[in-house]
Amino acid sequence: MSGPVVQERSPRRGMCAAVLSLEGIAVGLSTPVMIALSDVSVGKALLLGLGLALACLVLAGLLRWEGAYLVGFVLQVAAIALGLLVPMMFVLGVVFATLWTTAYFLGRKIERDRAVAYAALGGDGSAR
C-alpha cells in the first residue's frame, strides 16, 4: 500500500523567489531615494523604482515557468542599471545579481543531485 504522493518543492524556485522578494523590497525603497537625493522626477522615480519592484514580486510568483528564470536575469541587469540614477544601486544591484545567480545555479545542482538520488532508489523513493 502506498501513501499519498508528496511533490517535492524546487529548491531553485524557493531560493530564487526569496531573492526576488527581498530585491523587490530594496528596489521599491530606492524610489524615495531617487526623488530626494537624485535629480529624478517623481513620475520617473515611481515608474522605475516601483515598476521594477512590482516586476520582481510578480516574477517571484511566476517561477513555475522555466522562462521566468531568464526574465530574472534581465531584472538583475535592470537593477544594476538603476545605479545610473542612484549610484548605491550599482552595489545593491551587483549584490542581488550575485545572490540570484548563486540561487539559480545552486538550486539547479540540488535538483540534479536529488534526481540522481531518486533514480538510484528506484524512482519512487523505495530502496531496490
Side-chain angles (χ1 to χ4, degrees):
M1 178 184 219
S2 65
V5 176
V6 178
Q7 185 176 359
E8 291 291 328
R9 291 187 178 188
S10 167
R12 176 178 57 154
R13 190 170 112 208
M15 290 187 293
C16 287
V19 170
L20 283 173
S21 298
L22 293 173
E23 184 174 13
I25 294 168
V27 170
L29 290 173
S30 74
T31 303
V33 174
M34 280 189 267
I35 295 168
L37 300 179
S38 298
D39 227 4
V40 179
S41 69
V42 172
K44 187 175 184 179
L46 290 172
L47 178 68
L48 293 173
L50 296 182
L52 189 55
L54 181 63
C56 287
L57 296 175
V58 168
L59 189 63
L62 294 175
L63 290 176
R64 292 179 185 195
W65 173 55
E66 193 64 31
Y69 292 98
L70 178 61
V71 176
F73 282 104
V74 172
L75 283 182
Q76 301 314 309
V77 173
I80 293 170
L82 272 182
L84 297 170
L85 298 173
V86 179
M88 188 59 187
M89 284 307 295
F90 281 127
V91 176
L92 277 176
V94 168
V95 167
F96 277 109
T98 302
L99 290 170
W100 170 263
T101 304
T102 302
Y104 178 79
F105 287 108
L106 181 61
R108 277 186 44 177
K109 181 184 182 318
I110 293 169
E111 288 171 352
R112 276 193 312 269
D113 292 348
R114 185 183 283 173
V116 168
Y118 284 154
L121 290 173
D124 63 355
S126 62
R128 284 189 169 172

